[in-house]
Amino acid sequence: MPADGHLVSRAPGGSPGRRALPPRTLVVLCPDWPATVALATTRGPRAGLALAVVEKGRVVAASPEARAAGVRPGQRRREAESRCPSLVTTARDRSAEAWAFEPVVQVLERFGAPVAVREPGWAGLAARGPSRYFGGEAALVARIGAALGRLDLPGRWWRTGVGDGSFVATQAAALEVLVPRGRGAELLAPLAVEVLERPELAEVLRRLGITTLGAFAALGEAEVLARFGLDGSRALRQARGLEEEPLGTRPPRPELSVSTGFDPPAETIEATRFVARALGEQLGERLAELGLACTRLRVEVVMAGGARLSRRWSSEGTVRAPVVAEWLRWQLEAWLGRREPVEAGTGEGAGAEGVRRLELVPEELVPARGRQLDLWSRPRADPERAARAVARVQAIAGPTSVVRGVLVGGRGPGERVRLVAFGDHSPGVPPAGAPRARGARPSARQGDAGQEAPWPGRLPPPNPAVVAVTPLPAELLDASGAPVTVDGRGAMSAAPAGLAVSGAPPLPVVAFAGPWPADERWWQAGRRRRRARAQVLTAGGCAYLLACEGGRWSVEASYD
């Protein structure tokens, strides 16, 4: 390498040329970001949980515990479950991944350089300016790692690397190293050609016996251009560590969070509630100036003793200042009275300390479209007034006193509905009007990504009108009065002729459909469940959804 820090290369066409090394770039890489987001939204203990995120029947990300058991991206779901019997699988939610990556980007933007985001889980920034300010690249990496470690995410989920250009920096992040200036080719040389993310080119190179980037970089540029075209020439420059593609940085977002401090600390809930309403109005004014509305809000409360309490609230419409004040009132009562666990911080002894700082952070923003009201009459419904009424009920009876139904994945009607507390964020449910991540499939607004996934044995439409909380015992009889059974192949022993519900006299069966067998968790001893469902119409005009399990029939639901 010449003393001036440049590499001499031969440009396409054979004429010699001088090409400067790419600028120093820092990359933060989250290899299993979908699994990290899924773990962060999992209710219950996270430690030791073997979790895999599945999309189109294949694993796309896995937790460290799942990887230790042999689960790898690209495996089919059943293969992964056979390797790890305790594996918990969840459907991929690209929208949730994009929203959860936003705090990571905001942390990186605090270091003074524009941030580029290719996809959730990858972010890069120019390292030259920040590294000079913080005393070198190693010091910059340490500061960024400390800032990322303060985010409320499970485990050590990020990797950081610095190199010449984004491609070298990405490979350096995967290995968590700092590549010295001009040494990118040495780092890339032993890597497989698949890291170029060009499957067709990698397949041809392997057929030619070229399996590493070092062997590929040794080829002549003119020969590569003639054989593989312009894209092959760009791949060759990447293999040599001479990538020239600039970072596509985004403009920094305005700071929208609002906060205030209490000196001395506020010891009454009413004082904190009054300030929360003022902060909510201040936040609303900022969003109105930008034409935005907030659908998900995070409240941060710092107690005088240092405990930090956090809670997220969601709204189908937009979060308003009066609703924020009511929510915060019952939330403080819950925290100070220890009626429910907190999301972050210990908060021990918080009731005697008082509140030192209050902060409102909007996490989900959508364009503010407003409401078109009638010209002469009052609106039929006032969502804000209803939300305030619900918040008052929660303040009196507790957060779980008001719940709403959310559609989730499942096979039976009772399995597809989950009740969540009003105002709580439902994992996988994007807010109204929220932008989807690039490549994400549209899903129903009231359901999570799991309900759109394939569920073998799922009940076909139409859905039943009434679902029994406790299934009613039933007897399904054939023409001779013998019980109808379902064999291991999912076939009925005879056509149903009569149905008796809860010991009542049998009613004639005029039509039936099914059965639809479902064999669940067959790979786990003691947790396997085999069921079959059927739809039955009786002579009285009543239609039922029946389930057969262990040779016994029961009524799961009924149709209108």
Side-chain angles (χ1 to χ4, degrees):
M1 185 175 69
D4 58 359
H6 292 73
L7 291 179
V8 178
S9 62
R10 187 166 298 275
S15 60
R18 296 176 65 84
R19 182 170 300 149
L21 287 170
R24 299 293 286 173
T25 304
L26 183 147
V27 169
V28 174
L29 185 65
C30 312
D32 287 300
W33 182 247
T36 301
V37 175
L39 282 174
T41 56
T42 298
R43 296 179 180 270
R46 304 171 184 172
L49 179 62
L51 182 140
V53 179
V54 179
E55 184 178 40
K56 297 181 179 179
R58 291 187 178 273
V59 176
V60 296
S63 66
E65 292 76 11
R67 282 184 172 271
V71 178
R72 296 290 184 272
Q75 291 177 346
R76 292 190 177 275
R77 178 175 179 173
R78 290 195 174 184
E79 180 184 355
E81 290 171 338
S82 64
R83 292 176 179 267
C84 181
S86 61
L87 184 68
V88 177
T89 59
T90 181
R92 187 173 190 178
D93 188 346
R94 294 181 180 268
S95 296
E97 295 170 18
W99 287 117
F101 198 64
E102 188 62 28
V104 179
V105 180
Q106 294 175 4
V107 167
L108 297 179
E109 288 176 341
R110 298 172 189 168
F111 288 85
V115 178
V117 180
R118 291 182 179 174
E119 61 179 358
W122 188 100
L125 55 88
R128 181 179 180 183
S131 64
R132 289 184 174 184
Y133 180 82
F134 290 103
E137 294 176 348
L140 175 62
V141 169
R143 285 181 174 268
I144 289 178
L148 295 176
R150 288 191 289 268
L151 296 179
D152 186 21
L153 290 171
R156 176 69 159 75
W157 47 269
W158 75 92
R159 297 179 182 179
T160 310
V162 181
D164 300 331
S166 60
F167 181 72
V168 175
T170 300
Q171 308 310 319
L175 301 174
E176 293 192 288
V177 296
L178 305 182
V179 182
R181 183 73 167 169
R183 305 287 292 275
E186 299 179 16
L187 173 76
L188 300 177
L191 301 182
V193 292
E194 282 75 14
V195 301
L196 293 171
E197 296 184 354
R198 292 173 170 85
E200 296 181 359
L201 175 63
E203 182 180 358
V204 175
L205 291 177
R206 284 198 170 274
R207 290 180 180 177
L208 296 175
I210 302 173
T211 60
T212 64
L213 293 186
F216 181 47
L219 300 178
E221 190 167 352
E223 290 77 8
V224 172
L225 178 63
R227 174 63 177 83
F228 299 105
L230 184 59
D231 186 65
S233 179
R234 291 173 180 169
L236 180 65
R237 290 197 296 271
Q238 282 186 332
R240 292 177 175 178
L242 299 175
E243 179 190 25
E244 297 178 348
E245 182 180 358
L247 288 173
T249 58
R250 72 172 196 178
R253 294 185 57 181
E255 181 61 36
L256 297 177
S257 61
V258 293
S259 61
T260 187
F262 298 88
D263 190 14
E267 297 182 356
T268 64
I269 293 177
E270 286 300 325
T272 310
R273 174 175 172 267
F274 178 80
V275 174
R277 178 162 184 152
L279 284 180
E281 293 174 351
Q282 181 182 350
L283 176 61
E285 292 175 359
R286 289 189 183 183
L287 296 179
E289 293 176 357
L290 300 174
L292 299 174
C294 177
T295 58
R296 181 178 174 185
L297 180 72
R298 185 176 83 248
V299 58
E300 299 279 351
V301 178
V302 180
M303 311 304 293
R308 190 178 186 90
L309 311 178
S310 175
R311 181 64 185 261
R312 290 177 174 87
W313 294 317
S314 296
S315 174
E316 292 292 335
T318 57
V319 179
R320 306 283 184 177
V323 180
V324 171
E326 293 293 340
W327 277 345
L328 184 63
R329 177 181 180 179
W330 66 255
Q331 186 62 70
L332 286 174
E333 291 178 352
W335 279 339
L336 302 184
R338 281 295 162 266
R339 293 200 303 234
E340 64 167 325
V342 297
E343 290 187 4
T346 58
E348 297 298 335
E353 298 170 353
V355 177
R356 180 175 294 277
R357 184 174 181 82
L358 176 64
E359 183 177 7
L360 302 180
V361 183
E363 291 193 338
E364 290 183 351
L365 301 175
V366 296
R369 297 185 175 91
R371 292 188 300 159
Q372 180 64 48
L373 305 179
D374 296 339
L375 183 60
W376 302 111
S377 61
R378 298 179 61 184
R380 297 181 179 179
D382 187 352
E384 182 178 333
R385 183 179 179 185
R388 290 200 304 269
V390 169
R392 293 191 186 100
V393 173
Q394 290 178 313
I396 297 172
T400 59
S401 59
V402 183
V403 296
R404 61 189 179 95
V406 177
L407 287 180
V408 296
R411 295 179 172 84
E415 301 169 352
R416 297 190 58 194
V417 179
R418 181 186 303 166
L419 297 179
V420 298
F422 186 86
D424 278 1
H425 174 67
S426 303
V429 183
R436 293 191 301 269
R438 186 175 182 180
R441 297 179 304 160
S443 59
R445 174 181 169 188
Q446 69 273 23
D448 63 6
Q451 71 162 324
E452 298 298 326
W455 288 88
R458 170 181 281 186
L459 182 71
N463 294 321
V466 180
V467 180
V469 177
T470 302
L472 304 176
E475 293 184 14
L476 193 61
L477 310 175
D478 59 14
S480 63
V484 176
T485 59
V486 179
D487 59 21
R489 296 180 177 270
M492 286 185 175
S493 59
L499 173 64
V501 180
S502 299
L507 296 176
V509 174
V510 297
F512 73 95
W516 295 279
D519 193 356
E520 302 172 332
R521 296 193 174 274
W522 49 267
W523 61 92
Q524 291 184 342
R527 298 189 62 183
R528 182 175 185 177
R529 191 174 186 183
R530 304 183 65 182
R531 289 178 291 178
R533 292 182 173 88
Q535 295 170 333
V536 173
L537 176 64
T538 62
C542 297
Y544 299 97
L545 173 65
L546 305 180
C548 181
E549 184 174 4
R552 297 183 179 181
W553 291 92
S554 60
V555 176
E556 273 194 331
S558 60
Y559 298 84
D560 284 344

